[in-house]
Amino acid sequence: MLSPIVHHPTVFHLGPLEVTGFGLAVLAAFAVAQIVCQRELWRRGHDLEADAIPDVVMAALIGTLIGAKTYYVVLTGDPAAFFSRGGFVFWGGFMGSVALCWATIKYKKLSFLRIADVAGIAIAAGYAVGRTGCWAVGDDYGRPFNGLFATQFPEGAPPSTVAVMSSQFGVQFPAGTNPLDVVAVHPTQLYETIMGFIMFAVLWRLRKHTHQAGWLFGVYCIAAGIERFIVEFFRAKDDTLTVGLTTAQIIALTIGTIGVGLVISRRRAS
């Protein structure tokens, strides 16, 4: 049997300030998203929208933080979780970001669909970069696994111990198993990073499409829904509903359905 990878968090200390790999990855993700959006809008000749992107990205950052934490509070039923360091849930951040970006774009009297059409490319790029932060801190790992690239997170957030996997994620272990044993799991952060990059590559290839504005955002919604639906089968979670799917998978199906609607309704040549 292959020996599992043993993960240790990426943390830098600048005097009294602690900088985590997650924080650096999030900053890099939004920076990459802004560059992709602006350059593609400039290429298309939409200078007004391109010039507004820094404000839109700031709205996306704030909306992501508020939406992600709000979703987590609703999911856990613990209002105190809003002020905890962890608990940044992607779908909550996505919905919060879209809502605040829409409000910002409308306030500036610009075209939401025109910006959204390039935003899908940018979100996919930012997602691929941002998920490396989850790997850096040992968050959002998967279910027990002993195959290739199986990883132990002794210092994860939380550690992948028998006690944590049992109490927080509902994983069952043989009687007498030491609760302090560190369990090897799926490195789902890396799966998400790879799938995020694939999404970006596909959307980048389609960026010169001749459909109406918003069509490419629809393609992104479909791709993001598929990606999330798949990875949920490997994630360590305990929120499976009576229909056999997780909450995130239900949202993924909803987002994907919205994407199908956009692709169909915006497919006419512009």
Side-chain angles (χ1 to χ4, degrees):
M1 185 175 65
L2 295 172
S3 297
I5 299 167
V6 180
H7 175 278
H8 298 286
T10 302
V11 179
F12 304 95
H13 290 92
L14 301 176
L17 182 65
E18 181 180 272
V19 180
T20 67
F22 180 80
L24 292 175
V26 169
L27 288 176
F30 279 95
V32 166
Q34 177 171 328
I35 291 169
V36 170
C37 269
Q38 283 192 301
R39 293 200 172 187
E40 181 58 14
L41 285 169
W42 279 326
R43 185 192 70 79
R44 296 182 180 194
H46 304 319
D47 292 353
L48 286 177
E49 283 79 4
D51 292 341
I53 287 301
D55 291 338
V56 175
V57 169
M58 180 57 68
L61 176 58
I62 295 171
T64 295
L65 295 175
I66 295 174
K69 295 297 287 187
T70 301
Y71 183 102
Y72 187 66
V73 168
V74 171
L75 198 64
T76 61
D78 180 15
F82 196 87
F83 304 100
S84 66
R85 188 167 183 171
F88 290 98
V89 183
F90 174 74
W91 278 139
F94 175 78
M95 291 183 283
S97 174
V98 170
L100 200 53
C101 285
W102 177 86
T104 301
I105 293 167
K106 287 302 178 183
Y107 175 77
K108 290 179 171 290
K109 296 181 172 59
L110 298 173
S111 170
F112 174 76
L113 287 177
R114 184 176 287 176
I115 292 177
D117 204 59
V118 303
I121 313 172
I123 296 171
Y127 182 82
V129 173
R131 278 300 180 187
T132 64
C134 295
W135 168 261
V137 297
D139 190 15
D140 293 339
Y141 47 74
R143 301 180 187 278
F145 177 59
N146 291 315
L148 187 63
F149 302 124
T151 306
Q152 293 177 327
F153 293 90
E155 302 170 72
S160 62
T161 61
V162 169
V164 168
M165 299 294 289
S166 177
S167 63
Q168 295 192 25
F169 305 128
V171 179
Q172 296 184 351
F173 295 92
T177 303
N178 187 343
L180 298 180
D181 284 350
V182 180
V183 182
V185 297
H186 282 282
T188 46
Q189 313 97 320
L190 301 184
Y191 302 168
E192 291 169 309
T193 296
I194 293 169
M195 287 192 283
F197 180 78
I198 292 172
M199 284 194 294
F200 167 71
V202 170
L203 293 165
W204 183 256
R205 185 69 180 269
L206 296 174
R207 73 189 187 282
K208 296 182 180 180
H209 71 87
T210 57
H211 303 286
Q212 292 178 293
W215 179 85
L216 194 57
F217 185 69
V219 176
Y220 163 75
C221 288
I222 295 171
I226 292 172
E227 182 273 334
R228 189 64 177 187
F229 190 86
I230 292 172
V231 82
E232 283 292 300
F233 287 113
F234 301 95
R235 285 276 299 275
K237 300 184 72 177
D238 190 26
D239 63 343
T240 302
L241 305 176
T242 54
V243 293
L245 302 175
T246 66
T247 303
Q249 285 177 315
I250 297 298
I251 296 175
L253 290 174
T254 302
I255 297 296
T257 301
I258 292 172
V260 171
L262 281 170
V263 166
I264 293 174
S265 64
R266 310 298 294 179
R267 70 182 183 280
R268 183 168 56 84
S270 58

